[in-house]
Amino acid sequence: MIIDIPDGHDPLGHVWGDMVPGIGAAAANFSLAVYEHTTLGLREFEAARLRTAQINGCALCLDWRTERDGRKVEAEFADAVTAWRTTGAFDDRTRLAAEYAERYALDHHGLDDAFWARMTAHYSQVEIVELTMSIGAWLAFGRLNHVLGIDGVCALPTHT
């Protein structure tokens, strides 16, 4: 950790809450909203979230699995996300979600007309905006926690 955490304080709570209460609370609310208000299917949501976590290297985010209605993705799902280009485990929407997360994180200037034609063939404009905001939250906050060295103590939302 590169931030000094007072004895007895939770690192995440200290950084996000005590150090920048106006910003941290807003960021936490945005992060929670991604989980509470998503309209995306569980598999596409998790494909984008996990691909972002893989790129960010956020330790806890890599182990986290979103649960909805008592369901989570299968244990092999993370391996399929890594192999999103070739896996037979994904439908077109799930594959596109993983691809979008990767391209958003690594080459957002390279999102060309051919990519958008594929996206708009499978996702509505509302879903594209939601997916974009979700990936943006995971990218920003996962990197923030990793860069500051608090990703090992990151507490993810309990709402699904």
Side-chain angles (χ1 to χ4, degrees), residues 7-130:
D7 288 341
H9 283 85
D10 168 61
L12 192 67
H14 180 70
V15 170
W16 282 63
D18 299 339
M19 295 184 83
V20 290
I23 298 170
N29 285 334
F30 178 44
S31 181
L32 185 58
V34 165
Y35 291 86
E36 287 186 336
H37 302 292
T38 186
T39 63
L40 298 168
L42 179 61
R43 291 181 66 77
E44 59 229 22
F45 184 88
E46 278 294 274
R49 191 197 62 74
L50 268 167
R51 188 66 194 121
T52 304
Q54 290 168 347
I55 292 165
N56 279 345
C58 181
L60 189 60
C61 298
L62 287 166
D63 290 335
W64 171 263
R65 295 299 175 270
T66 302
E67 183 177 327
R68 274 204 213 131
D69 300 323
R71 293 181 36 245
K72 293 182 181 184
V73 294
E74 64 275 12
E76 305 80 24
F77 193 82
D79 292 334
V81 170
T82 301
W84 65 264
R85 288 174 183 82
T86 58
T87 185
F90 288 175
D91 63 15
D92 290 338
R93 283 176 59 97
T94 305
R95 187 179 319 281
L96 275 166
E99 178 183 358
Y100 187 31
E102 181 174 304
R103 293 181 72 174
Y104 186 122
L106 299 176
D107 185 24
H108 63 283
H109 291 287
L111 295 169
D112 56 14
D113 290 341
F115 172 78
W116 289 118
R118 288 186 294 119
M119 279 295 285
T120 58
H122 294 282
Y123 285 91
S124 71
Q125 289 186 351
V126 169
E127 290 172 321
I128 290 170
V129 171
E130 181 180 332

